[in-house]
Amino acid sequence: MHAGLLAYPEAVAFMEQRVAEIADGTASELVWLVEHPPIYTAGTSARDCDLLDARFPVFRTGRGGQFTYHGPGQRVIYVLLNLNRRRKDAREFVRNLEQCLIDAVAHFGVRGERRKGRVGIWVGGDNGGDDKIAAIGVRLRRWVTFHGAALNVSPNLEHFAGIVPCGIRGHGITSLAALGVPASMAEVDATLKTSFDNVFGYSGVPTAVRGSHVEGRR
């Protein structure tokens, strides 16, 4: 594993345990910010034909969606919120998560947008098309959310070539860095904190994780 990056199976195991504790009322909600080593993950709708080149480890996971890439320079946002205390509306949760990402990239002068029939956040490409800057894939258990989103800050975009990202052909992948925004991960995290506070009323500081150390809000 790359130094300072969290192994994906470790992240999933932690989320599984934390979701159960949140549902039982023994742990608090958590917005968890991590980076993973280069991997591909396959959601519940993933098609084998969309794995073009398994150049990195592939993990089958229980989140919604299809294939995506995680790696250094990408902020992965795991969102563990208790909708029993909010609104039991999965569509509204996803829309709010989209809004958090739209607000976050707007802070850096980037106009992120929704696209009908395409989950995630998109920006207009140089060729007049759309490029994806953030992916979303979530799961709910007992009305507690987990998994979440991935925002491309400065990853190696060539690594996305091993898959058809989210099963969507004919569109590109971009990042803040590719759009000329030299944002640090710390600056992105601070902006995400503000957007989560504004959209979800979540007052805890999102937690950046290195290795296996986890800090949660009680």
Side-chain angles (χ1 to χ4, degrees), residues 141-166:
R141 181 179 297 154
R142 296 169 62 187
W143 288 105
V144 177
T145 69
F146 60 124
H147 294 279
L151 174 61
N152 296 330
V153 180
S154 58
N156 185 339
L157 297 180
E158 290 297 321
H159 290 174
F160 285 89
I163 57 172
V164 178
C166 302

Side-chain angles (χ1 to χ4, degrees), residues 45-122:
S45 301
R47 300 172 297 183
D48 290 342
C49 63
D50 288 339
L51 180 60
L52 307 177
D53 177 11
R55 62 184 74 174
F56 304 120
V58 178
F59 294 94
R60 302 283 172 172
T61 185
R63 63 161 174 78
Q66 303 187 41
F67 278 102
T68 195
Y69 164 79
H70 295 315
Q74 182 190 69
R75 177 50 87 208
V76 178
I77 310 155
Y78 291 131
V79 184
L80 286 68
L81 297 182
N82 189 352
L83 299 190
N84 292 290
R85 297 180 176 180
R86 300 167 184 274
R87 278 173 53 88
K88 291 183 178 180
D89 188 327
R91 290 179 182 271
E92 180 180 276
F93 167 72
V94 171
R95 189 166 183 83
N96 285 340
L97 185 54
E98 290 172 338
Q99 192 62 51
C100 285
L101 294 164
I102 290 170
D103 292 348
V105 299
H107 176 82
F108 299 101
V110 174
R111 183 176 178 179
E113 298 176 315
R114 300 176 178 90
R115 291 290 184 265
K116 186 176 181 180
R118 289 189 259 139
V119 177
I121 302 305
W122 301 79

